[in-house]
Amino acid sequence: MKSSRSRRVILGAVSLVAVAAIAIPALGQERPESILPPGFGDPAPAPAPTPAATPGRPAAAPTAPARPPVDLLPDLGSGLPADLPTELTDEAKAEEAQTAELEPYDLPQAARRSPSFVGVLNSGNGGLGTDSWGNARGRYLSILMRRMKAPVASRWGSILLRRALLTQTAAPRGVAGADWVAERAWLLLRMGEADSARLLVQGVDVDRFTPKLFQVAMQSALANADPAAMCPLADSVPGNARAWMLARAMCAGLAGEPGTASALIDGARRGGGSGGIDVLLAEKVVGAGINGRRAVTIQWDGVNQMTAWRFGLANATDVALPDALFATVGPHVQAWQARAPMLSVDKRVGPASWAATLGVFSSAAYIDLYGALFDATDSADVQGSTAGRLRQAYMGDANNRMTALRALWSEPTDPRERYARLVLTARAAARIVPNADYADDARNLIAAMLTAGFDTTAERWAEVANGARAGDDAWALLAVGASRRVVDLGAARVDGYAKAQDDEGQAKVRFVIAALAGLGRISAADADEMNRAHGVGLGVQNSWTRAIQQAARDNQPATVALIAATGMQTRDWRRVPPAFLYQIVSALRRVGHEAEARMIAAEAISRS
């Protein structure tokens, strides 16, 4: 018995890394939600990464540690939040004091991995550092992660948070290692980062899983459209929940045991619940296995809600999901769809604009997807298509390339899609040599470059931006996004930019002032005067501002990244208070992430 269990554990540890993947997220926010309808009652959560270019960053000044500030941070639905409690509740303190009871390890000594030190990034490949959470309480951080309404407004803020969540660090005090992995992976899934979530889950050996991590692991498998990823776990899950019974049935079918699979599915039907579409999808997976004999037809009539179960199993078996179901879930599901490997490239391009704006796709990954679409499209249909124009943006003389870029930028009518086109054209924009003849295009060229972190390349346009008309965003983008002062930052120039904006443009003015103050690029006296003149709110103090200030003083870059994201819990940059941008930029600069602070500030201007 022990030998069999050992083989199962070793197999789980190895095959978790080896299984194929696809993508799909969890659909809840505050806690894992059921992936099956009432009667199946098996809870499960979900969020995942893709690196993007970041410019250099200055060193942070060490400061003395202090206790974590607040318990919860705000959502921006009603603007600036009221103060929040500054201490953990008695219930939270009791939970923090608990430690998970872990089963004895059966793995060989050399194969053992600590669940309390899980991550895939380090200081050499984009990680934030092994001490990036500092002395923050694990329970405190877990609450912030669990209650965050992801995705957030900022693409660059999401990229930085992904790096923080993937950094290999010791689990903070007061939280079990496996549960700490679960919280991070669950947030990543809700951010649209299915791949990243899977990487974290695979960092824990099966015999170290806690109930919470089992839930997140199922969500991760479904978000990646990879039911096989549940197989190393299915026999180790405590209890006999119906979702895991169906998982065991699918695993039996994939292993060429249709009789066992049929018995398990029949048992799930008898155990309660009416079956319906969710059982049929499981049967579809069984039929796809070796010796599978079940021919199952999926009809979506009467199905009016997307779930992780439906998303994952439908994509795993190449069953088309009705467009209407995507309207019932958040945009993170679109990001899962964009990277689902079983789907053809033409079905992934539409959702990919979400993946790009959420930070799940880098500019390079987005371009590669369109390159694959170009290769898959008949030559007669390429002319005038987005893929065809993108190709033209890299070919011929500068005038022809600019013509293609203008067409790509002007085509979308949706603001999010317009920003996605900036991400798509970042590298093509970087190839355009600064020219006063393109002064009217400088704003889009600079904005596009900054979506990919090409700050030093964008700085070549400083002379053009300085000579542009007073209200041109090209100046504003370089004022906050350049690695150094390359444009006029005098009070008169800022005032001229403000006066040139209409009422709608005043949001950008406040973001410019907030970012310049946070970066220390204007004097304290000028910042105070501009603050009062334009109502930026730089002096606002509440529990959120105190939280991010405290984390910055304690030199906790990962904590700062997390709290910064909680200050951007909206899909609309215009709903992010300028005072929050000031605090975010200032805190990131203090902990050595000025480059990311500048990119977030430039994004605020581009998207407001």
Side-chain angles (χ1 to χ4, degrees):
M1 179 69 179
K2 183 174 182 181
S3 173
S4 173
R5 183 176 181 276
S6 298
R7 287 195 300 272
R8 188 170 65 245
V9 170
I10 294 171
L11 174 62
V14 174
S15 55
L16 264 177
V17 180
V19 284
I22 303 180
I24 283 310
L27 311 180
Q29 285 290 347
E30 184 167 325
R31 62 184 179 84
E33 74 172 271
S34 176
I35 58 171
L36 296 176
F40 282 83
D42 192 29
T50 304
T54 53
R57 60 177 69 92
T63 51
R67 67 174 178 80
V70 298
D71 182 19
L72 302 179
L73 297 178
D75 126 28
L76 301 179
S78 57
L80 287 169
D83 277 358
L84 299 168
T86 57
E87 294 291 342
L88 295 174
T89 63
D90 290 341
E91 179 184 0
K93 289 177 180 177
E95 182 173 335
E96 183 184 73
Q98 295 176 357
T99 57
E101 293 185 9
L102 303 177
E103 296 181 14
Y105 249 138
D106 277 358
L107 292 174
Q109 183 68 32
R112 293 182 180 182
R113 298 181 296 177
S114 170
S116 296
F117 198 68
V118 175
V120 296
L121 298 182
N122 53 48
S123 57
N125 63 358
L128 270 59
T130 55
D131 195 33
S132 55
W133 298 103
N135 66 341
R137 293 177 178 176
R139 173 61 177 165
Y140 161 70
L141 297 172
S142 297
I143 289 175
L144 296 186
M145 292 179 188
R146 196 176 313 144
R147 298 190 181 181
M148 185 183 298
K149 291 179 172 63
V152 298
S154 173
R155 175 179 186 271
W156 275 99
S158 187
I159 289 170
L160 179 61
L161 179 57
R162 179 185 65 217
R163 289 168 54 202
L165 297 174
L166 285 174
T167 296
Q168 188 175 44
T169 60
R173 58 194 174 96
V175 62
D179 283 345
W180 176 238
V181 171
E183 294 291 358
R184 292 150 65 196
W186 176 217
L187 177 53
L188 283 166
L189 285 169
R190 304 197 315 275
M191 290 163 59
E193 300 279 359
D195 289 324
S196 298
R198 183 182 59 199
L199 289 173
L200 286 182
V201 169
Q202 290 174 350
V204 181
D205 296 325
V206 176
D207 69 338
R208 294 289 189 171
F209 272 45
T210 59
K212 184 181 296 185
L213 187 52
F214 275 117
Q215 293 179 14
V216 175
M218 176 175 276
Q219 283 286 343
S220 173
L222 294 169
N224 283 280
D226 183 18
M230 293 185 278
C231 297
L233 312 175
D235 289 337
S236 301
V237 179
N240 197 28
R242 291 185 183 90
W244 283 106
M245 184 181 294
L246 288 173
R248 286 190 283 274
M250 290 186 287
C251 293
L254 294 173
E257 301 173 4
T260 302
S262 295
L264 287 167
I265 285 179
D266 291 342
R269 280 200 174 98
R270 288 193 301 270
S274 58
I277 191 71
D278 301 292
V279 173
L280 287 175
L281 286 167
E283 288 188 279
K284 185 79 172 176
V285 174
V286 170
I290 303 171
N291 298 325
R293 301 185 183 94
R294 293 180 180 236
V296 179
T297 300
I298 302 297
Q299 299 289 341
W300 296 101
D301 299 342
V303 178
N304 55 17
Q305 178 64 52
M306 178 82 83
T307 66
W309 185 269
R310 293 163 188 172
F311 177 94
L313 300 191
N315 276 324
T317 53
D318 199 23
V319 173
L321 284 157
D323 291 341
L325 291 186
F326 285 93
T328 67
V329 292
H332 58 298
V333 181
Q334 298 281 358
W336 296 344
Q337 183 86 345
R339 52 151 312 284
M342 291 295 290
L343 299 181
S344 61
V345 64
D346 60 303
K347 293 179 181 178
R348 296 167 55 206
V349 163
S353 65
W354 275 109
T357 54
L358 295 180
V360 176
F361 272 13
S362 67
S363 176
Y366 198 18
I367 293 168
D368 286 347
L369 185 63
Y370 267 100
L373 180 64
F374 182 91
D375 292 339
T377 304
D378 189 277
S379 58
D381 299 325
V382 166
Q383 191 69 25
S385 68
T386 300
R389 289 192 178 113
L390 183 62
R391 178 181 173 84
Q392 292 169 9
Y394 286 90
M395 299 175 62
D397 61 29
N399 287 332
N400 288 335
R401 286 184 278 135
M402 277 305 314
T403 298
L405 286 171
R406 291 178 189 127
L408 288 167
W409 294 330
S410 62
E411 184 180 43
T413 56
D414 177 69
R416 177 194 53 77
E417 185 67 36
R418 284 200 296 269
Y419 185 72
R421 289 296 176 87
L422 294 177
V423 178
L424 181 64
T425 56
R427 282 164 170 75
R431 291 165 53 89
I432 301 295
V433 176
N435 187 328
D437 292 342
Y438 304 144
D440 291 341
D441 301 300
R443 185 263 184 205
N444 283 331
L445 289 166
I446 294 169
M449 286 183 269
L450 294 180
T451 65
F454 298 153
D455 53 349
T456 56
T457 306
E459 288 166 15
R460 299 181 304 164
W461 287 84
E463 184 177 346
V464 176
N466 256 332
R469 62 185 185 277
D472 198 299
D473 287 345
W475 168 85
L477 289 166
L478 287 182
V480 304
S483 63
R484 54 197 174 90
R485 301 184 186 210
V486 296
V487 294
D488 179 11
L489 299 180
R493 185 62 194 256
V494 178
D495 187 56
Y497 178 78
K499 287 180 178 178
Q501 302 298 323
D502 56 18
D503 290 344
E504 187 176 344
Q506 292 306 309
K508 289 189 294 186
V509 173
R510 288 187 283 271
F511 281 142
V512 169
I513 295 169
L516 290 175
L519 291 168
R521 292 187 172 179
I522 55 177
S523 68
D526 283 348
D528 183 59
E529 183 176 343
M530 295 175 191
N531 175 51
R532 287 186 281 105
H534 297 281
V536 182
L538 300 184
V540 168
Q541 286 291 314
N542 55 38
S543 59
W544 183 87
T545 64
R546 289 189 290 272
I548 198 166
Q549 290 164 4
Q550 184 70 66
R553 283 194 296 269
D554 291 351
N555 195 25
Q556 300 172 359
T559 310
V560 168
L562 176 61
I563 298 175
T566 66
M568 298 183 285
Q569 295 179 82
T570 173
R571 297 177 198 169
D572 183 358
W573 257 108
R574 291 177 177 273
R575 296 178 66 187
V576 178
F580 280 26
L581 179 64
Y582 165 71
Q583 295 290 346
I584 290 166
V585 168
S586 178
L588 287 174
R589 178 174 175 238
R590 184 165 184 171
V591 297
H593 288 273
E594 180 177 318
E596 290 84 350
R598 291 187 283 106
M599 297 305 105
I600 291 172
E603 181 185 350
I605 295 168
S606 296
R607 302 182 71 176
S608 60

